[in-house]
Amino acid sequence: MNEPENVYAMMTAVDWFGLILSVVLFLLTVGVYLYVLSPKAGRNLERHKHLIMDEDRK
């Protein structure tokens, strides 16, 4: 019976680029999510929160 080939040996440059890009974007998303949820950053971000109300548009 033939041994299956190593999947990493079969990957092309485009496959590697897509894999690396996906991992980087995932880690960036998790990092931003954790930053927004941290209490210290949350207090800083609250100052920049603006709600658009109908009364403000007039």
Side-chain angles (χ1 to χ4, degrees):
M1 196 188 280
N2 292 341
E3 291 290 323
E5 290 188 45
N6 185 358
V7 68
Y8 299 110
M10 296 179 357
M11 291 176 68
T12 64
V14 176
D15 295 329
W16 281 110
F17 177 76
L19 176 65
I20 292 169
L21 183 65
S22 298
V23 169
V24 167
L25 289 176
F26 175 75
L27 293 175
L28 183 65
T29 303
V30 170
V32 169
Y33 182 75
L34 292 175
Y35 173 74
V36 168
L37 287 181
S38 69
K40 185 177 180 182
R43 285 191 294 272
N44 291 336
L45 293 173
E46 280 291 321
R47 290 184 289 162
H48 302 290
K49 183 171 77 172
H50 302 287
L51 295 176
I52 299 175
M53 304 297 216
D54 289 337
E55 295 84 26
D56 295 339
R57 291 184 178 181
K58 295 178 182 176

